[in-house]
Amino acid sequence: MLAAITALFLSAQAPDTLDASVVHAARHISPATETASREKILRSSSLADAIRDFSGIQLRDYGGLGGLKSVNVRSLGSAHTAVFLDGVPIDNAQNMQPDLGRIDAEDLESIELFQGQKSELLQSAREYGSASSLHLRTAIPTGRKTSLRLRGGSFGTFSPSASLEGPVGRFRARARLGADIAGGSYPFRVQDTVMRRENGDIKAIRASAGAWFTPENGRYEAAVRYYGSERGIPGPVYRQSPLYTLSLDRQADRNLAVQASGEQALSPSLRLLLRGRYSRDVLEYLDISEQDPSISAEWDYDLRSAYLSGALGGQARPWLHLGAAVDAQAEKLSGTVPASRKTLFAAASAAVLKGPWRASASLQSLLTDDSYRFLSPSLLVDWHPREDWEFGALVKRSCRLPSFNDLYYTNVSVRELRPEQVWQTAARWCWDRTYASWHFRCREELYHNRVKDKLIAVPNGSLFRWSMYNLSQVLIFGDEISAEAAYASGPWSAGATARYSWQWAREKDSAMQIPYIPLHSASFNLSCAYGRLRLDVRGFLTGSRLTLASSRPEYRLPPWTTWDAALGWNASERLRLSIDVKNILNEQYQLVQGYPMPGLNVLAGLTAAF
C-alpha cells in the first residue's frame, strides 16, 4: 500500500510548493472537540485535572493521588479512548486504559481530545480506528533552562521535580526527574458516620529524557521514560461485619518505555512518517485476605510491547490529499497469567477540498494473530459558509478487542467474549467571532452511538476476579453544548465557559441507563486576571447514576456538585506561585461506588526557573 501511494505521488506533477491555505484547511477537517493549551496545563495540578471540564467525558477516579484515573468518552468506556503521546499509542492489551495519573503533564505543550476521527495529512494506521483519541504533545525546548517545582498540600502530598533543558550540539534536549509522595488518608462521611480512607498511600518516581532535531522539512525526536511506584489499594468502602477489615492490598509498578519518531519531506508534495515504541510493564499485586490478614497471595504480571508504524501522506492534486499507513504491534504477558497478541493495522485515507466544502474518508483494517478481522470505515464532511460559521458531520465504525484482563482471570478458564463493535454518527455546528476586545464561541454536537456486544464487568469477590459478559446492543444518544466568552484589554483579561452534556445510554428495550452514565452533567469556568495575577473558579455538576442495571435505591449514586478555585501569581518571569483549593464546599461524593472522593483539600506550588 505504501509503495502504491509513493508511486502515485512521484508520478503526479507535483507543485513546487504546497498550497499553504489548502494544507491548513485539510489538517482541520475534523477539529479537536476539546483542547487544553500549555498555559492551562501549567495551571492544572495533573493531567486528569486539565481535562476534567472537557465536554462528553466522565473521568473515573478511585480517589487520592494514587487512585487509578481513566477517561470515558460519550458512554463508550475508557478502552475506546486511545491515548497517544507524541503520536505513539501508550495503552496496552493488558488493561487498555492507561492510568492518566502516571503521566507527567508538566512538559506537555497541548492536549487534544478528538471525537470520532482525527483528520490529518499524516498519521499512523492505529489512529484511524479509535472511537475517540486523546493526543498529548510534548513541548520542544526553546532555550537553556533549569527549573525546579515543589508542590505540597493536604493528605501528606509532596511532589518535587527538577528539569534541565537546552541545546546539545544540533539537538535540543530535556531531562526531568520527579516524585509523588502522599499518605493518602482522608476523612469521608457515610450517612451520619465519619470514616477515614486508609491504605491509600503512594511513593512514585518519574524520570524522562528526550531529544529533538528539526532540520529543514523534517522533525525527529526520541524519548525514554521510567515510572516506578509502590502504593496501597484501599478497595471499596462499605458497611460490613467487624470480622472484616478494610483492604490492605498493595501494588508495585515498574514501567520503562523508549519511543522515537521521524517525519521528513520526500518531495514538495509527499511526506514520510516513521514511529516506534518498546515498553515493559511489571506489576506486582499483593492480595491480603480481609478475613485473615496473615493469609496473602501475590500476582505478578510482566508485559512487553513493541510497536512500529510507517505512513505516507501529501497533496496529489491541488484539491486532493491522500494518505496510507501500516502499523504492527506485538504484546506478550508473562507471570501469573500468560497471554500474547499480535496485531496488524493498515489504513488508507483521502481528503477532498472544494471551496467551502471539505470531505475526508478513511478505511482501516485490523487483523490479529487469532484470525480476528475488522474494517473501520469513516466519513467526515465540513462546510464553512462563512469564516465564523462551521457545520460538520461524521459517520464511523470502530471496534474494541477484549483486553487480557477481560479474558484471563486467576483460577478461571479463558472466557468467550466477543469484541465490541461501534457505529458512530454525529452532526455539529460552531460559531466563532471576535469583536474588538471580546471573543465569543458557541458549539453544539448531536451524536448517536450504537454498540454491539458491549463488554460489562461486575465485581465477583476480588479485584482480580470479575464476572464478564457481553450486552447484545446498547444505544446512546447525546447532545453537547458549550459557550465561551473572553475579554482582554491592557493588563485586564477575563473569561467564562459553560458546558452541558445530555447522554441517554441504555441497553436496547431497557428503560434504565447503563451503569455510571449520568443523564445530565455540566461544568463552568470563570477566570479573571490582572497583570501577573490570575484567579480561576471551576464548578462541576453530575446527575445521579446507576451502578447496576437495577432500579433499587442502593444501586443509585446521588447527584453531586463541586467547586474548585485556583490562584496563580507570576512573581517574575522566573518564579511562579500557585494555590489550588479543591472541593471548597466539602461535598461528599463518589465517582465510582465504594470509592469516596476527598473533601476539601489544598495544594500549593512553587516553580522557579534559572
Side-chain angles (χ1 to χ4, degrees):
M1 179 186 294
L2 292 176
I5 293 294
T6 304
L8 174 63
F9 277 100
L10 295 180
S11 64
Q13 185 176 356
D16 292 337
T17 59
L18 287 173
D19 184 335
S21 61
V22 173
V23 172
H24 178 78
R27 291 176 62 87
H28 291 79
I29 287 178
S30 177
T33 301
E34 298 285 354
T35 62
S37 65
R38 179 158 177 78
E39 182 184 0
K40 179 181 178 180
I41 296 170
L42 293 177
R43 295 198 308 266
S44 305
S45 58
S46 64
L47 172 59
D49 185 51
I51 65 173
R52 280 184 68 192
D53 56 358
F54 282 7
S55 296
I57 75 166
Q58 296 90 40
L59 183 66
R60 286 202 168 188
D61 191 333
Y62 291 77
L65 183 64
L68 171 68
K69 295 168 178 61
S70 61
V71 61
N72 175 14
V73 179
R74 292 183 174 176
S75 309
L76 292 176
S78 57
H80 277 283
T81 302
V83 181
F84 295 87
L85 179 58
D86 294 326
V88 180
I90 59 173
D91 54 1
N92 58 62
Q94 182 178 350
N95 49 41
M96 302 185 74
Q97 51 173 356
D99 183 0
L100 300 182
R102 294 187 183 186
I103 302 173
D104 192 344
E106 192 170 357
D107 292 331
L108 295 182
E109 176 70 28
S110 64
I111 303 172
E112 296 178 306
L113 175 66
F114 290 88
Q115 304 282 13
Q117 182 67 54
K118 176 189 178 186
S119 185
E120 292 265 355
L121 290 177
L122 202 58
Q123 60 176 307
S124 64
R126 176 72 185 277
E127 294 177 82
Y128 286 99
S130 303
S132 60
S133 56
L134 189 68
H135 285 260
L136 315 175
R137 172 61 66 179
T138 304
I140 300 179
T142 56
R144 187 174 301 277
K145 182 175 67 173
T146 301
S147 63
L148 174 67
R149 185 189 67 180
L150 298 174
R151 294 189 304 171
S154 302
F155 320 131
T157 300
F158 180 57
S159 297
S161 70
S163 70
L164 175 64
E165 61 184 56
V168 180
R170 300 178 63 188
F171 293 85
R172 283 177 282 178
R174 177 191 294 117
R176 178 176 295 279
L177 179 65
D180 292 322
I181 303 169
S185 176
Y186 55 86
F188 64 94
R189 188 172 64 250
V190 178
Q191 296 178 355
D192 297 328
T193 303
V194 176
M195 304 175 68
R196 194 161 193 89
R197 191 70 161 150
E198 302 289 356
N199 198 41
D201 61 295
I202 181 174
K203 295 182 179 67
I205 185 171
R206 296 187 181 92
S208 64
W212 293 262
F213 176 52
T214 54
E216 184 178 1
N217 297 322
R219 169 172 168 157
Y220 298 85
E221 56 188 88
V224 56
R225 297 179 176 89
Y226 174 80
Y227 176 86
S229 70
E230 199 279 329
R231 72 186 74 193
I233 305 296
V237 174
Y238 46 85
R239 292 177 178 271
Q240 55 185 350
S241 166
L243 297 176
Y244 291 78
T245 64
L246 295 177
S247 172
L248 299 175
D249 295 358
R250 309 292 298 181
Q251 178 175 319
D253 295 276
R254 296 188 302 278
N255 167 252
L256 178 66
V258 181
Q259 69 179 61
S261 65
E263 180 180 340
Q264 185 66 50
L266 301 180
S267 75
S269 60
L270 181 64
R271 297 187 73 83
L272 171 68
L273 175 65
L274 297 174
R275 287 169 172 158
R277 185 175 193 265
Y278 175 80
S279 65
R280 184 180 181 186
D281 293 88
V282 177
L283 184 152
E284 299 172 351
Y285 193 92
L286 183 62
D287 188 359
I288 299 177
S289 170
E290 294 181 352
Q291 290 179 290
D292 186 355
S294 64
I295 301 175
S296 64
E298 185 172 337
W299 317 113
D300 298 324
Y301 301 85
D302 188 344
L303 178 69
R304 305 182 188 216
S305 175
Y307 169 83
L308 289 173
S309 173
L312 284 170
Q315 183 176 345
R317 295 291 187 272
W319 51 270
L320 176 64
H321 298 257
L322 298 176
V326 175
D327 296 6
Q329 188 162 1
E331 295 167 294
K332 183 177 181 180
L333 180 67
S334 58
T336 306
V337 182
S340 65
R341 175 179 292 165
K342 297 182 179 67
T343 312
L344 181 67
F345 306 87
S349 64
V352 176
L353 301 96
K354 283 290 187 180
W357 290 93
R358 324 283 195 253
S360 173
S362 67
L363 179 64
Q364 185 215 55
S365 172
L366 179 151
L367 175 65
T368 66
D369 57 348
D370 54 1
S371 300
Y372 180 75
R373 292 178 171 86
F374 192 84
L375 291 176
S376 297
S378 71
L379 175 64
L380 298 90
V381 178
D382 268 14
W383 178 44
H384 295 258
R386 290 169 43 181
E387 186 175 347
D388 54 348
W389 280 97
E390 174 193 327
F391 299 87
L394 161 74
V395 179
K396 181 174 183 177
R397 185 181 186 227
S398 60
C399 82
R400 182 273 231 213
L401 297 174
S403 69
F404 291 161
N405 285 359
D406 295 333
L407 291 168
Y408 312 107
Y409 285 89
T410 306
N411 299 329
V412 179
S413 60
V414 177
R415 301 180 185 276
E416 295 295 330
L417 296 174
R418 299 179 297 277
E420 292 183 4
Q421 301 181 25
V422 179
W423 273 105
Q424 299 169 266
T425 55
R428 70 177 187 276
W429 64 266
C430 180
W431 176 76
D432 194 306
R433 190 68 180 270
T434 298
Y435 296 96
S437 300
W438 289 89
H439 178 257
F440 300 94
R441 187 173 190 267
C442 297
R443 190 180 190 278
E444 181 178 15
E445 184 159 3
L446 299 167
Y447 61 89
H448 169 50
N449 300 328
R450 183 183 294 268
V451 188
K452 179 183 178 183
D453 295 327
K454 184 169 181 62
L455 288 163
I456 298 294
V458 178
N460 183 29
S462 78
L463 291 175
F464 283 89
R465 286 192 293 274
W466 295 63
S467 296
M468 300 293 304
Y469 63 93
N470 291 103
L471 289 179
S472 60
Q473 192 171 89
V474 171
L475 303 178
I476 303 167
F477 295 88
D479 187 7
E480 297 173 5
I481 303 172
S482 64
E484 304 174 28
Y487 171 82
S489 179
W492 285 98
S493 63
T497 302
R499 295 179 175 89
Y500 168 76
S501 295
W502 174 82
Q503 295 187 81
W504 186 96
R506 303 182 183 186
E507 188 178 7
K508 189 177 181 181
D509 301 324
S510 173
M512 290 178 292
Q513 196 88 337
I514 63 175
Y516 288 106
I517 304 302
L519 187 63
H520 306 282
S521 60
S523 66
F524 305 92
N525 186 11
L526 303 173
S527 64
C528 181
Y530 178 77
R532 295 180 175 180
L533 190 66
R534 179 186 174 100
L535 174 66
D536 285 273
V537 178
R538 295 197 294 173
F540 302 90
L541 296 82
T542 296
S544 63
R545 296 160 296 148
L546 297 175
T547 59
L548 290 175
S550 171
S551 59
R552 297 177 60 177
E554 59 264 34
Y555 299 126
R556 180 177 294 274
L557 289 176
W560 55 267
T561 302
T562 64
W563 291 92
D564 303 341
L567 182 65
W569 178 43
N570 294 322
S572 68
E573 294 183 357
R574 297 180 177 272
L575 181 63
R576 172 180 169 79
L577 303 173
S578 65
I579 183 168
D580 282 321
V581 183
K582 298 188 180 301
N583 199 355
I584 297 173
L585 302 180
N586 200 35
E587 176 84 358
Q588 302 295 301
Y589 69 105
Q590 300 176 20
L591 297 181
V592 180
Q593 187 178 39
Y595 291 83
M597 296 297 293
L600 173 68
N601 61 97
V602 179
L603 184 69
L606 179 151
T607 303
F610 308 96

